[in-house]
Amino acid sequence: MAKMINKTLVLTYIYLLIYILLSSGVILYNKWVLSPKYFNFPLPITLTMIHMGFSGFVAFLLIRVFKVVAPVKMTFEIYATCVVPISAFFASSLWFGNTAYLHISVAFIQMLKALMPVATFIMAVVCGTDKPRCDVFSNMLLISVGVVISSYGEIHFNIVGTVYQVTGIFAEALRLVLTQVLLQKKGLTLNPINSLYYIAPCSFVFLALPWYVLEQPSMEITQIQFNFWIFFSNALCALALNFSIFLVIGRTGAVTIRVAGVLKDWILIALSTVIFPESTITGLNITGYAVALCGVVMYNYIKVRDVKASQITAETLPDRINKEWKMEKKSSDKFNPDVGGESPRVGAEITDEEAPLITSRLSHIGRTQLGNHTA
């Protein structure tokens, strides 16, 4: 038993390490590809469309050709009312987020992403899935103050890049809320492959119009270099990140994955200053981010506490009696090898907020930053 626990623990830490490396790698890779100072491919919509096209193609092969995963029953009504609007905001969040790399540093982008709980809470209140609360509002205020301090301390502050990033954060927040409102009400559950199969092509189509208006003319005028292996490896890393997220949320709890996310953010900030020397971090940057992070940690604690409380109150008296009876039956079965007992498994279906449309039957709330790292 001890060896099995140790093996499971080692696998969990390996998956967490893979997730941290892939998540950090995709962000740094995107910055390197888009930055005019490095690979010089300043076309964020085109890069996002490459990611979506590649992910959709791989998902098609896995579902329709190799039949690794069975497709879900998708009606036209569900696709039109759920998948289409969610894909639109998903594409928008990736478009705006990748465009921000052209104007501001990776470190400052990570600091701005601390606003994600604020944006999600605001959109949840607007859509009616959450109610205004004093304890949550105080955390939102603390996060906002921290981000403002961090922005004030940014040496290379750029209003255009900041607006792009904040807009992308709110688009992602709305996508998360819509996923909860639309899909959960329909009772639709998609694994990572199915989610990419339906969402990636739709997101690709949504990006086609802004690409044609904003980037296609510049591609004809300027000489844009295209290296197949660079873009293939970049898209492959983005695809692998989706699957690593699924492995992580299947093996860790809320506290572990949130701590891993915070650790990844600090590592990413430090790495970005080494890889991109033009990224300068000031003491005011760190102070503001630390203040915002305190608000994020407090918010995460409140959400985990609320879920645990709802799980306890949702358990009815007959369920508790049935569970106690089964536990007594199991303990009595120890003395009777001819009778097989099975302990009940209690779980709640929680929507993971890191990857698009991934839901899992876990005692876990997904961390809200990661949807930003999908591409």
Side-chain angles (χ1 to χ4, degrees):
M1 179 66 71
K3 289 183 178 179
M4 184 180 297
I5 294 175
N6 290 335
K7 184 178 179 181
T8 303
L9 193 62
V10 169
L11 280 175
T12 300
Y13 282 119
I14 289 175
Y15 290 148
L16 282 171
L17 179 61
I18 292 173
Y19 155 68
I20 290 174
L21 292 176
L22 283 173
S23 181
S24 303
V26 168
I27 291 174
L28 295 172
Y29 205 167
N30 285 352
K31 173 67 175 180
W32 181 82
V33 170
L34 293 168
S35 176
K37 295 182 179 180
Y38 298 96
F39 187 71
N40 191 23
F41 188 80
L43 303 172
I45 303 177
T46 305
L47 184 65
T48 307
M49 291 180 71
I50 291 173
H51 290 176
M52 293 297 97
F54 180 77
S55 297
F57 176 69
V58 172
F60 175 82
L61 291 179
L62 293 176
I63 291 177
R64 296 298 181 183
V65 179
F66 300 107
K67 302 188 184 302
V68 175
V69 177
V72 299
K73 293 181 179 179
M74 179 70 66
T75 64
F76 178 79
E77 179 193 358
I78 294 178
Y79 190 87
T81 59
C82 298
V83 175
V84 170
I86 289 170
S87 299
F89 286 105
F90 181 56
S92 300
S93 67
L94 296 178
W95 166 21
F96 294 134
N98 281 337
T99 304
Y101 290 126
L102 298 175
H103 305 280
I104 54 180
S105 67
V106 171
F108 186 48
I109 286 175
Q110 292 306 116
M111 295 176 189
L112 288 176
K113 284 178 181 177
L115 284 172
M116 191 65 200
V118 178
T120 305
F121 178 68
I122 291 174
M123 290 302 174
V125 172
V126 171
C127 294
T129 61
D130 207 343
K131 296 179 180 179
R133 294 166 47 182
C134 291
D135 54 351
V136 176
F137 180 77
S138 61
N139 291 333
M140 301 300 101
L141 187 62
L142 184 62
I143 293 171
S144 302
V145 169
V147 172
V148 169
I149 294 173
S150 180
S151 302
Y152 184 76
E154 177 65 17
I155 294 177
H156 305 292
F157 181 81
N158 184 289
I159 186 65
V160 175
T162 303
V163 169
Y164 268 117
Q165 183 58 46
V166 173
T167 305
I169 289 171
F170 274 87
E172 173 65 7
L174 187 54
R175 195 272 301 173
L176 293 174
V177 174
L178 285 177
T179 300
Q180 180 182 359
V181 172
L182 299 178
L183 284 187
Q184 286 189 352
K185 285 186 177 180
K186 299 289 185 180
L188 185 64
T189 301
L190 300 177
N191 60 39
I193 299 176
N194 274 317
S195 66
L196 290 174
Y197 176 73
Y198 291 108
I199 283 190
C202 192
S203 298
F204 183 93
V205 172
F206 272 109
L207 290 168
L209 179 60
W211 172 82
Y212 182 78
V213 174
L214 300 175
E215 295 188 358
Q216 194 267 344
S218 63
M219 293 179 70
E220 294 180 350
I221 298 173
T222 59
Q223 192 69 26
I224 300 296
Q225 59 174 329
F226 188 91
N227 187 309
F228 172 80
W229 293 110
I230 292 291
F231 290 103
F232 174 75
S233 59
N234 183 258
L236 189 63
C237 288
L239 178 66
L241 176 59
N242 281 280
F243 296 133
S244 71
I245 290 169
F246 183 73
L247 291 175
V248 167
I249 65 175
R251 287 184 170 269
T252 60
V255 176
T256 304
I257 200 168
R258 290 168 191 268
V259 171
V262 172
L263 177 63
K264 186 264 304 177
D265 290 339
W266 283 108
I267 291 174
L268 190 54
I269 290 173
L271 278 178
S272 66
T273 59
V274 175
I275 298 174
F276 307 110
E278 69 275 8
S279 301
T280 306
I281 298 178
T282 65
L284 207 54
N285 278 144
I286 298 299
T287 302
Y289 185 60
V291 171
L293 204 59
C294 290
V296 172
V297 171
M298 292 170 62
Y299 173 77
N300 289 340
Y301 169 75
I302 291 174
K303 298 303 289 184
V304 173
R305 185 192 62 188
D306 290 348
V307 169
K308 287 182 178 180
S310 65
Q311 287 176 345
I312 293 173
T313 55
E315 190 178 45
T316 61
L317 181 61
D319 290 336
R320 276 181 284 182
I321 294 174
N322 186 42
K323 182 195 292 185
E324 290 172 1
W325 179 81
K326 286 188 177 182
M327 290 178 67
E328 290 176 2
K329 183 176 183 294
K330 184 180 179 183
S331 61
S332 65
D333 288 344
K334 294 180 181 178
F335 302 97
N336 185 2
D338 295 331
V339 181
E342 183 178 344
S343 59
R345 297 182 64 184
V346 181
E349 190 167 344
I350 308 295
T351 301
D352 181 77
E353 298 171 349
E354 290 185 325
L357 306 186
I358 297 177
T359 57
S360 52
R361 195 168 289 274
L362 305 168
S363 57
H364 157 71
I365 313 171
R367 197 176 62 85
T368 53
Q369 276 95 339
L370 242 283
N372 309 311
H373 308 326
T374 309

